Amino acid sequence: MRARTEKLTEKLTEKLTDNAWVRFAARRSRRLLLSVWVLLTAAFGMIHLIPGDPVRAALGVAAPAELVAARREQLGLDDPLWRQYLDYLGDLSAGRFGTSTVSGLPVSQVIAERYPATLELAVYAFLVAVALSVPLGLTMAVLTRGGRRRRLELGFTSTSVFFGAVPEFLVGAGLVYLFGVQLGLVPIAGRAGPDSYVLPVLALALGPAAVLARIMRVETLAVLDADYIRTARAKRLPDRRLYLRHALPNSVTATVTIAGLLLGGLVAATVLVENVFAWPGLGSTIVQSILAKDYPVVQGIVLIYGLGVLLVNLVVDVGLALLDPRSTIRES
């Protein structure tokens, strides 16, 4: 009976190891765990690598020595470094990010209050970027295929390069001046109603949309020259069916990859854009915390940003595996 059980277990193990999806999940899990550990360790070392005493910097040079010592003991900064590291990992596993040295509030509370505003801004900007870039790139590929409409192609390329190169905060400043100051169409600061989302979302979305539109155009041009598209044309399929059903699904893979990476970048880009528009999110909070030398809050927000980028990369990998298994699942 025991030999039979061992044989069945061995067969099951062989089947699992031969399964491409299982190998894919194992590889991604190892990479994710290693990346998370590096992120946690880097965030921990951030406070200890900064010159000076963070408690003294937060309380001010005039603070009594007794108050500084008591605060250091309360935060556990007098313990050995290895002990602080273990306590830090233990607190994170329990969902505790520490306490703000300025306000005395739990860092988790500060993040919970500000994170939804940042997440909304990044997600809306991502959706707008994809909604603009995919149809624009597809349309430009169809219109400029085979060297046609050279002026239109030049105008599209120049405009997309310009918006892709200009930093988000400069785009935001330009939008504030044009639509907020000169035209007075939408609010230029704060988070109060749907109108207040227009300018910060556009400031974040225009650059990624320009990059994605260029990639979408290039990929679509390559797809339109493929043999199966020529076969579909020979069958006299309607243009709408040809482009949307045959060309679009096969040209969107690279766009999805870059879009996922840009989503992670959008979360980080909110730091500057939020300060331009006085947006009450993590971006403005981390700048205020840096200026106030509130390092526990800075550390917690850095962790949230880093974990967000890692999660986005994981979702992109899984999405690519579903769209094109040959490109990811069967890699060595």
Side-chain angles (χ1 to χ4, degrees):
M1 182 68 179
R2 183 178 178 181
R4 184 179 180 184
T5 304
E6 291 178 352
K7 190 174 181 180
L8 289 175
T9 304
E10 185 179 349
K11 286 184 177 180
L12 180 60
T13 304
E14 289 179 358
K15 281 187 177 182
L16 289 176
T17 54
D18 289 340
N19 188 283
W21 280 104
V22 173
R23 296 198 304 272
F24 170 78
R27 284 195 305 271
R28 291 300 181 268
S29 299
R30 288 196 301 268
R31 295 178 188 177
L32 179 62
L33 291 176
L34 178 60
S35 300
V36 169
W37 176 76
V38 171
L39 172 64
L40 297 180
T41 304
F44 170 79
M46 180 178 64
I47 290 182
H48 298 278
L49 293 176
I50 296 175
D53 186 350
V55 176
R56 170 64 71 180
L59 297 180
V61 295
E66 295 81 5
L67 177 60
V68 174
R71 191 62 172 162
R72 286 184 60 85
E73 183 179 0
Q74 180 184 0
L75 295 175
L77 295 178
D78 293 330
D79 296 334
L81 192 61
W82 64 269
R83 179 70 181 180
Q84 293 183 46
Y85 183 66
L86 294 179
D87 291 341
Y88 163 75
L89 294 180
D91 289 340
L92 288 181
S93 63
R96 297 188 296 267
F97 289 84
T99 304
S100 169
T101 58
V102 174
S103 65
L105 296 174
V107 175
S108 57
Q109 179 180 339
V110 176
I111 293 175
E113 291 174 354
R114 297 301 185 99
Y115 186 63
T118 296
L119 186 62
E120 280 186 352
L121 203 59
V123 171
Y124 290 156
F126 174 76
L127 294 177
V128 169
V130 173
L132 290 175
S133 61
V134 172
L136 179 60
L138 179 63
T139 302
M140 293 304 301
V142 173
L143 294 178
T144 61
R145 179 172 175 264
R148 296 175 296 174
R149 300 180 177 88
R150 299 294 297 178
R151 291 183 179 179
L152 178 62
E153 179 184 354
L154 180 61
F156 167 76
T157 303
S158 303
T159 304
S160 60
V161 168
F162 172 78
F163 280 105
V166 176
E168 289 85 355
F169 72 93
L170 288 181
V171 176
L175 292 175
V176 166
Y177 177 77
L178 178 60
F179 295 101
V181 177
Q182 293 295 322
L183 300 179
L185 297 177
V186 288
I188 61 175
R191 180 185 177 217
D195 291 348
S196 63
Y197 286 80
V198 174
L199 293 185
V201 167
L202 284 179
L204 282 172
L206 288 179
V211 174
L212 291 176
R214 291 182 64 195
I215 295 173
M216 185 66 190
R217 175 181 173 272
V218 172
E219 292 296 316
T220 303
L221 287 175
V223 168
L224 291 178
D225 289 333
D227 291 337
Y228 65 91
I229 294 294
R230 296 192 186 96
T231 303
R233 290 183 185 278
K235 294 180 179 180
R236 299 186 179 277
L237 294 179
D239 289 343
R240 181 178 179 182
R241 184 177 178 184
L242 177 70
Y243 295 134
L244 297 182
R245 187 169 179 178
H246 294 275
L248 180 60
N250 292 283
S251 59
V252 80
T253 303
T255 306
V256 169
T257 306
I258 304 300
L261 298 177
L262 288 176
L263 178 57
L266 281 175
V267 176
T270 56
V271 174
L272 295 176
V273 172
E274 285 182 8
N275 283 276
V276 171
F277 294 97
W279 193 262
L282 291 181
S284 56
T285 302
I286 193 173
V287 172
Q288 296 167 6
S289 300
I290 292 173
L291 295 176
K293 296 181 174 58
D294 193 353
Y295 296 129
V297 174
V298 176
Q299 186 182 56
I301 294 177
V302 167
L303 279 177
I304 294 299
Y305 276 131
L307 291 174
V309 171
L310 292 178
L311 180 61
V312 168
N313 290 338
L314 177 63
V315 172
V316 171
D317 286 342
V318 174
L320 285 176
L322 294 174
L323 287 173
D324 189 3
R326 294 172 298 176
S327 65
T328 52
I329 294 180
R330 302 190 183 281
E331 67 182 7
S332 59

